[in-house]
Amino acid sequence: MSPAQVILLLVVAAIVVAAVVVGIRIQRSRKLQATFGDEYERLVTEHDSKAAAEKELLERQRRHAELDLRPLTPEARSRYADEWQEVQARFVDAPEDAVGAADEVVTRLVGEIGYPTGDYDDQVAQLSVDHARTLSAYRRAHEISERARRHEASVEELRQAVVQYRELVADLLGEEPVPPQRPQPTAEGRPAPRP
């Protein structure tokens, strides 16, 4: 084989290897986008780098694989559905308290499943692996909950927080926790605000 043929063969081999590597990266990116959805886009924007965002998401998957996640028992599902119904009922008379209770229910629920509960950012990162679809709602609800603790959230924002927490609760329970509550009339006969 002539030196020119060897060089041509090496160039072709290098092109094939490069094409395979690019193909693998594209497949990995597509898979991460499909798995993480909005969280993928949020991290790309936050890091200002697709590679850095993907590195973080791969690290989340690695750490998530180390968690000891446990399915909820039917009794636990029922208990959390009942607790959620109480949260919704509480909203009519005490919206700020209801949002605080919603945050507590979610924290206990994710803890019982096996997700970390000590650090909010770690909790969100771990939840993103299996529950990315409802993660944006959880982030918004938690942010409103923090503002509610400082009495800085409107009743409408508090209602939105309960609705958004509900999305994550339904996702974690694997079912609709309770049907949406119908507004109960107030003493004046007007419908009360709905969570």
Side-chain angles (χ1 to χ4, degrees):
M1 195 180 283
S2 73
Q5 289 174 323
V6 170
I7 291 173
L8 181 62
L9 187 60
L10 290 175
V11 168
V12 169
I15 291 172
V16 169
V17 168
V20 168
V21 168
V22 167
I24 289 171
R25 286 184 180 163
I26 289 171
Q27 286 292 81
R28 182 184 72 187
S29 292
R30 286 183 181 158
K31 185 176 178 182
L32 288 170
Q33 285 174 317
T35 300
F36 289 95
D38 290 344
E39 184 70 0
Y40 179 92
E41 299 303 327
R42 188 188 73 75
L43 285 174
V44 168
T45 301
E46 181 181 295
H47 289 294
D48 203 23
S49 163
K50 188 175 173 181
E54 289 182 1
K55 182 178 177 184
E56 180 175 330
L57 293 172
L58 291 168
E59 176 61 18
R60 285 182 186 187
Q61 288 178 324
R62 186 196 63 74
R63 289 182 29 238
H64 181 271
E66 296 172 357
L67 295 176
D68 181 25
L69 300 179
R70 305 167 294 281
L72 292 172
T73 65
E75 296 79 19
R77 285 182 194 283
S78 178
R79 185 177 73 249
Y80 283 109
D82 290 345
E83 286 184 41
W84 189 256
Q85 193 165 8
E86 290 172 19
V87 165
Q88 288 190 151
R90 186 186 300 182
F91 183 85
V92 173
D93 294 322
E96 281 184 352
D97 292 344
V99 169
D103 191 65
E104 291 171 16
V105 168
V106 167
T107 299
R108 282 188 286 106
L109 175 56
V110 299
E112 188 163 336
I113 292 170
Y115 289 101
T117 59
D119 178 69
Y120 172 74
D121 291 331
D122 187 37
Q123 180 185 63
V124 169
Q126 295 308 308
L127 282 169
S128 71
V129 176
D130 289 331
H131 302 283
R133 184 179 58 79
T134 54
L135 198 62
S136 294
Y138 179 44
R139 284 182 191 280
R140 288 188 304 270
H142 185 75
E143 187 271 329
I144 293 169
S145 176
E146 292 295 309
R147 288 191 301 114
R149 288 187 179 116
R150 299 184 306 268
H151 308 290
E152 296 173 355
S154 71
V155 172
E156 175 57 21
E157 290 172 318
L158 297 171
R159 184 194 69 77
Q160 290 172 8
V162 170
V163 169
Q164 291 164 342
Y165 275 125
R166 178 193 178 89
E167 287 183 39
L168 180 61
V169 170
D171 194 24
L172 291 166
L173 294 180
E175 58 192 39
E176 187 64 20
V178 290
Q181 276 196 307
R182 294 189 187 145
Q184 301 297 316
T186 62
E188 297 83 32
R190 295 185 314 250
R194 239 177 112 165

